Amino acid sequence: MEQWLQQLQKWIHEVEEWVHQQPVEQLSAAFAVLIITFALFGFFRILRRSKSNTIVLAGLTGSGKTVLYYQLRDGSPHQGTVTSMEPNDDTFVLHSELEKKGKLNPVHSVDVPGHSRLRPKLDEFLPHAAGVIFVVDSLDFLPNCRAAAEYLYDILTKAIVVKRRIPILILCNKADKVTAHSKEFIRKQLEKEIDKLRTSRSAISTADLTSEFTLGVPGETFAFSHCLNKVSVAEASGLTGEISQVEQFIRELVKP
């Protein structure tokens, strides 16, 4: 230990002598470059740390969120899975990318239970979300249209979603079925229902409202294009593994 301290003191003395030998202008320039370098290094570290890799799966019970979650993680639908009572929460490289060479950025994926009493768990993950995938059952859509629209309305009007402009993908699952509704039909129906909700909820006193922001443009019929955050619509089939549009959405937000 004593030998190490002596070596350190010798090194400090040599540095001091070198500093005294340098012109003041040269030292000032070197100091400025050092400060800028440290500042840029700190900035990029903060930027890298603040870039989220969390993707949240939300939607009604039975829409197929958990099947999609397992397809993304394992490349398997895990048929026979029961309704989730707790969030499925894991960080992994997308299964379709496992054979790719080089280091890949893992995705933190959270499958939030769709039961109405368990939905508040969504609020735990939204502050860290890079994006939200709202899963809709396109096969059994019409009987659940109102409920899906209400849940989606609640997400779109959350302060954290609006302020952070979190992108949302409305994913029409089970699109492989012959009787499944198209994504265009589902988009239009959801817009109509949300427009009705917007009108009815605006008539309720502010004290009774659970939404934090008002959707749409006053005096105009609601459209997802009115949202401050990007809202897109895509199709998938969790059971068959056709989830390319889901993976594309994820990788636009969580770069490989």
Side-chain angles (χ1 to χ4, degrees), residues 11-44:
W11 180 80
I12 292 173
H13 180 69
E14 290 175 353
V15 171
E16 288 177 344
E17 286 186 347
W18 178 84
V19 169
H20 288 306
Q21 294 171 4
Q22 305 306 312
V24 176
E25 295 81 2
Q26 185 174 333
L27 285 175
S28 298
F31 183 73
V33 169
L34 190 63
I35 291 296
I36 293 171
T37 301
F38 274 112
L40 288 173
F41 179 73
F43 173 75
F44 283 117

Side-chain angles (χ1 to χ4, degrees), residues 66-77:
T66 303
V67 170
L68 285 165
Y69 172 87
Y70 285 125
Q71 280 286 10
L72 291 167
R73 194 188 72 174
D74 304 328
S76 167

Side-chain angles (χ1 to χ4, degrees), residues 223-240:
F224 288 120
S225 59
H226 296 163
C227 296
L228 293 177
N229 54 319
K230 182 181 179 181
V231 180
S232 51
V233 186
E235 293 177 326
S237 173
L239 284 178
T240 64

Side-chain angles (χ1 to χ4, degrees), residues 55-108:
I55 299 294
V56 177
L57 293 166
L60 299 180
T61 299
S63 59
K65 299 182 303 299
T66 303
V67 170
L68 285 165
Y69 172 87
Y70 285 125
Q71 280 286 10
L72 291 167
R73 194 188 72 174
D74 304 328
S76 167
H78 285 233
Q79 290 192 30
T81 54
V82 296
T83 300
S84 304
M85 298 306 290
E86 288 293 331
N88 291 304
D89 183 351
D90 198 3
T91 301
F92 50 85
V93 172
L94 298 179
H95 184 270
S96 63
E97 298 176 341
L98 289 178
E99 295 182 0
K100 290 186 178 180
K101 296 180 180 178
K103 189 176 180 180
L104 292 168
N105 192 15
V107 177
H108 176 215

Side-chain angles (χ1 to χ4, degrees), residues 19 35-36 55 68 89 92 104 119 133 139 142 149-150 176 194 198-199 203 219 235 249:
V19 169
I35 291 296
I36 293 171
I55 299 294
L68 285 165
D89 183 351
F92 50 85
L104 292 168
R119 288 177 200 167
I133 299 174
L139 188 64
L142 285 177
E150 288 177 344
D176 59 302
I194 289 176
R198 187 179 61 151
T199 304
E235 293 177 326
F249 173 78

Side-chain angles (χ1 to χ4, degrees), residues 154-220:
D154 290 340
I155 294 174
L156 289 170
T157 54
K158 286 183 181 293
I160 192 69
V161 173
V162 178
K163 290 179 179 178
R164 294 186 60 231
R165 302 197 176 192
I166 300 174
I168 294 179
L169 176 68
I170 300 171
L171 187 68
C172 306
N173 192 27
K174 308 179 185 179
D176 59 302
K177 304 298 183 182
V178 177
T179 55
H181 294 285
S182 69
K183 65 179 184 180
E184 289 79 13
F185 176 82
I186 290 173
R187 175 184 61 79
K188 290 177 181 177
Q189 292 302 313
L190 286 173
E191 286 177 337
K192 287 180 181 179
E193 287 298 329
I194 289 176
D195 192 55
K196 294 175 186 177
L197 283 168
R198 187 179 61 151
T199 304
S200 62
R201 293 195 183 188
S202 64
I204 304 173
S205 64
T206 307
D208 295 329
L209 285 174
T210 56
S211 58
E212 301 170 60
F213 277 84
T214 303
L215 278 182
V217 178
E220 293 187 23

Side-chain angles (χ1 to χ4, degrees), residues 86-151:
E86 288 293 331
N88 291 304
D89 183 351
D90 198 3
T91 301
F92 50 85
V93 172
L94 298 179
H95 184 270
S96 63
E97 298 176 341
L98 289 178
E99 295 182 0
K100 290 186 178 180
K101 296 180 180 178
K103 189 176 180 180
L104 292 168
N105 192 15
V107 177
H108 176 215
S109 181
V110 183
D111 163 29
V112 179
H115 194 283
S116 57
R117 285 184 294 180
L118 301 175
R119 288 177 200 167
K121 291 180 179 290
L122 180 68
D123 294 330
E124 299 175 19
F125 302 101
L126 284 179
H128 315 290
V132 174
I133 299 174
F134 187 81
V135 185
V136 175
D137 183 345
S138 59
L139 188 64
D140 198 24
F141 171 69
L142 285 177
N144 298 298
C145 180
R146 178 73 177 187
E150 288 177 344
Y151 190 7

